[in-house]
Amino acid sequence: MTDLPTISHYINGAAAAGTSTRTAPVFNPATGTVAKNVLLASARDLDDAVAVARAAYPAWRDMSQARRQTIMYNFRELLNARKGDLAEILTAEHGKVTSDALGEIIRGLEVVEFALGMPHLSKGEYSENVSTGVDVYSVRQSLGVVGIISPFNFPAMVPLWYFPIAIAAGNTVVLKPSEKDPSASNWLAELFTEAGLPAGVFNVVHGDKEAVDALLVNPDVQAISFVGSTPIARYIYETAAKNGKRVQSLGGAKNHMLVLPDADLELTADAAVNAGFGSAGERCMAISVIVAVEPVADELIAKIAERVKSLTVGDGTRGCDMGPLITKVHRDKVAGYIDIAKADGADIVIDGRGVKVDGDPNGFWLGPTLFDKVSVDSAVYLDEIFGPVLSIVRVASYQEGLDLINASQYGNGTAIFTNDGGAARRFQNEVQVGMVGINVPIPVPVAYHSFGGWKNSLFGDAKAYGPAGVNFFTREKAVTSRWLDPSHGGINLGFPQNQ
Ligand code: NAD
């Protein structure tokens, strides 16, 4: 065990050991073995990284947009050329199958491409002669050092939602990735250095609560972008806001797919399986509840079950449909919901325990699991399970389905499947959820729109990436300007009025 590699921090353009010798194991979820260890920073290590980012800020902020964009462009080219290498890292530490790993990188790459437009996106506005000889204009300026805290389930894409925009806008960054799959962040930071990014602009500090708490209170950190589970998202929002920072804090989810009786059931069943079991259900936009408006349920469930039985589970490098879960603890917790479902009276249509696996028997496996007639009082319905578990709830009408979705504490994503344009339009208008799909099961907005949920799926008012991301990582300054001429003289204590 002692000769396992240790993943260090990446500070000031190079690997850094810091002062703390605490570590956490990093598993290969497909074999169940510890493959590496990762350093867990002390508060002092975190503060040292912030000091580096602070020192790097003035030169990066003052670098011309043209030169900054050249570096961004180089980074985009390198990431695109080497995305296969990054996908291998994601599969080895997260477990997701290689095609899915590539998919998340490509969605992250889209944000880099969006950030290439920063000179245009950050342009201000100009009003000439608002009063005689007076002009008003606004500029958007960077904030300084910003902190990003990311979850395990998208080790590349979630950091890529934030740091390209933050850095293109002139900020410097300290990223604290998930300790469960930390290598992707170092890889991205090294690649950015190779693209020409000056040392200290993008720093990665690994750690747990100690590092996060230090980031939240450090007075030199201007803003925090967080993605993770709802209880931690709420804590991050409250603590960072109390410490005077801008915060965008994205939390958990329980996403419903409402299926109306007129839907195309073949396409709906395909969509339900893809969105329910892709990435083993470890996606914040996974569909975890199908709300079937009767009389559609029996036929739909039969079609879903037929497809689920054909899914292959195994090592992500072997072309299977689904990989393992992130840790044994998480796998056991998710599998525990099968007993809860049984106790709460649901029908277990497919039990994913004991699934046939193409891979090491010690991996953290759980096969796709399907429940019917789930009670809306059951923890199976109420909790974010975050695994390959799809629940079906039967309702009598569109209204009953809508009311159920709107009663959820979460409001991240939802979808309606129907051929009725009027019903879809009504749903889009009435549903209390931040991202809505109409015959699209995972409605993750493209990079030039913004991503984020409502209710307990997002704390703060700023969504991720797109125009909201540019606003979040910049602040507006309005300038009122007059070039003096003798006619402007004289004393007047009244509030300035435009003439
Ligand atoms: P998590 O909340 O356990 O961890 C997220 C981050 O917070 C990690 O970097 C972790 O080290 C840190 N952290 C954990 N406990 C902490 C504590 N007590 N104090 C301070 N920091 C702490 O989440 P996870 O298990 O890594 O990720 C899965 C969760 O993320 C799910 O709930 C999922 O829905 C959510 N998620 C949401 C979105 C979204 O866009 N809304 C996207 C991806 C994931």
Side-chain angles (χ1 to χ4, degrees), residues 31 39 43 64 72 101 138 147 195 199 214 251 253 336 343 346 354 416 428 436 453 474 480 490:
T31 61
L39 281 174
S64 76
M72 292 299 300
S138 58
I416 185 169
Q428 163 207 304
V436 179
T474 57
T480 302

Side-chain angles (χ1 to χ4, degrees), residues 149-210:
I149 304 155
S150 56
F152 82 82
N153 67 318
F154 285 112
M157 184 182 76
V158 168
L160 281 162
W161 280 354
Y162 298 108
F163 74 78
I165 295 176
I167 288 174
N171 301 285
T172 56
V173 169
V174 174
L175 166 64
K176 204 304 284 175
S178 170
E179 62 277 34
K180 297 193 176 103
D181 41 19
S183 295
S185 293
N186 283 24
W187 189 93
L188 287 163
E190 283 166 23
L191 197 76
F192 223 154
T193 300
E194 189 179 335
L197 193 72
V201 174
F202 183 24
N203 309 281
V204 179
V205 175
H206 298 290
D208 53 11
K209 183 170 169 52
E210 182 173 347

Side-chain angles (χ1 to χ4, degrees), residues 205-388:
V205 175
H206 298 290
D208 53 11
K209 183 170 169 52
E210 182 173 347
V212 171
D213 283 346
L215 193 61
L216 300 181
V217 301
N218 187 304
D220 289 328
V221 175
Q222 306 301 321
I224 295 286
S225 299
F226 173 87
V227 181
S229 57
T230 286
I232 310 294
R234 190 195 305 272
Y235 165 75
I236 299 285
Y237 174 70
E238 291 174 356
T239 312
K242 221 177 273 171
N243 283 277
K245 303 183 196 319
R246 268 183 194 204
V247 203
Q248 49 181 180
S249 191
L250 280 62
K254 188 90 183 181
N255 305 312
H256 299 68
M257 177 198 271
L258 182 64
V259 182
L260 301 192
D262 72 334
D264 178 325
L265 293 191
E266 298 294 339
L267 296 180
T268 305
D270 286 345
V273 172
N274 295 341
F277 301 110
S279 202
E282 290 176 328
R283 289 180 182 148
C284 62
M285 290 293 275
I287 289 293
S288 47
V289 184
I290 305 283
V291 182
V293 179
E294 293 293 28
V296 85
D298 284 343
E299 197 184 340
L300 177 63
I301 291 160
K303 289 184 190 304
I304 292 176
E306 181 193 313
R307 286 162 171 77
V308 170
K309 283 178 193 149
S310 74
L311 294 179
T312 54
V313 177
D315 189 312
T317 58
R318 298 192 192 170
C320 300
D321 295 311
M322 233 181 74
L325 297 190
I326 184 75
T327 57
K328 181 176 186 306
V329 172
H330 186 56
R331 190 272 314 276
D332 293 347
K333 184 176 165 214
V334 174
Y337 280 95
I338 300 172
D339 293 327
I340 298 174
K342 228 179 249 172
D344 289 353
D347 287 355
I348 315 295
V349 184
I350 297 175
D351 183 333
R353 292 173 295 197
V355 68
K356 192 169 158 288
V357 169
D358 179 9
D360 190 306
N362 296 315
F364 307 139
W365 310 108
L366 181 66
T369 296
L370 188 61
F371 303 142
D372 185 18
K373 298 184 182 149
V374 173
S375 156
V376 297
D377 301 323
S378 170
V380 171
Y381 173 74
L382 295 168
D383 295 354
E384 180 185 38
I385 298 175
F386 220 57

